């Protein structure tokens, strides 16, 4: 039986390299989605008040920008802007570079939402398990 999230992964209970908890994760998600929405408004003319169908493809602009931010920042900065602002990093369990395909898989599953809200005992979402990553405190 695990006493704390991340124990069976060999991670500490608290401090650097410990599993990032839900509050930080949700905060990072809010930061990233707000940034994506602001970018979508500025560059794609996204209108958040348009009725479904009226906006055309721009109705998906915030989610597309969100995905691009995740895919670009995870391998280059170690996490999305929200992750980094709130002191988190996305890493592989073996400590190696996450590479390019892991952020793509992780982000595609994150956009679907369901894998991100289903966690295991180590508080890793299905999107992290599928990508072989873990979100830790920096």
């Amino acid at each position: 039986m695990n006493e704390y999230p991340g124990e069976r992964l060999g991670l500490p209970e608290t401090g650097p390299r410990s599993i990032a908890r839900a509050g930080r994760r949700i905060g990072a998600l809010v930061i990233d989605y707000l940034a994506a929405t602001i970018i979508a408004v500025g560059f794609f003319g996204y209108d958040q008040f348009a009725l479904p169908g009226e906006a055309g493809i721009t109705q998906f602009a915030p989610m597309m920008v969100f995905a691009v931010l995740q895919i670009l920042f995870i391998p280059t900065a170690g996490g999305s802007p929200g992750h980094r602002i709130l002191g988190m990093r996305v890493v592989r369990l073996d400590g190696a570079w996450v590479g390019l395909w892991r952020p793509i898989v992780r982000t595609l599953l994150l956009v679907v939402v369901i894998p991100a809200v289903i966690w295991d005992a180590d508080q890793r979402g299905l999107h992290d398990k599928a990508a072989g990553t873990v979100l830790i405190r920096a």
Side-chain angles (χ1 to χ4, degrees):
M1 184 82 180
N2 293 336
E3 292 187 25
Y4 62 88
E7 179 181 26
R8 69 186 180 127
L9 302 173
L11 300 174
E13 183 173 5
T14 60
R17 292 206 42 83
S18 65
I19 296 285
R21 302 300 197 263
R24 284 180 191 245
R25 292 170 186 254
I26 292 167
L29 185 63
V30 169
I31 290 169
D32 290 339
Y33 199 75
L34 284 175
T37 301
I38 290 167
I39 292 168
V41 168
F43 287 98
F44 301 105
Y46 169 69
D47 180 3
Q48 62 189 355
F49 301 109
L51 295 173
E54 285 183 3
I57 193 68
T58 62
Q59 68 188 0
F60 300 108
M63 193 57 70
M64 291 185 294
V65 172
F66 174 84
V68 169
L69 288 174
Q70 297 287 315
I71 292 168
L72 289 178
F73 278 87
I74 290 173
T76 59
S80 71
H83 291 147
R84 301 306 291 152
I85 289 168
L86 295 180
M88 297 180 289
R89 290 187 1 238
V90 176
V91 298
R92 285 177 45 181
L93 287 174
D94 64 6
W97 181 54
V98 294
L100 299 175
W101 71 267
R102 283 180 177 79
I104 293 169
V105 168
R106 184 181 189 278
T107 301
L108 291 176
L109 291 172
L110 183 61
V111 168
V112 176
V113 177
I114 293 173
V117 296
I118 299 173
W119 294 351
D120 66 7
D122 293 310
Q123 295 184 0
R124 287 175 70 203
L126 293 180
H127 64 301
D128 275 321
K129 289 181 72 98
T133 58
V134 63
L135 187 60
I136 61 169
R137 291 180 58 192

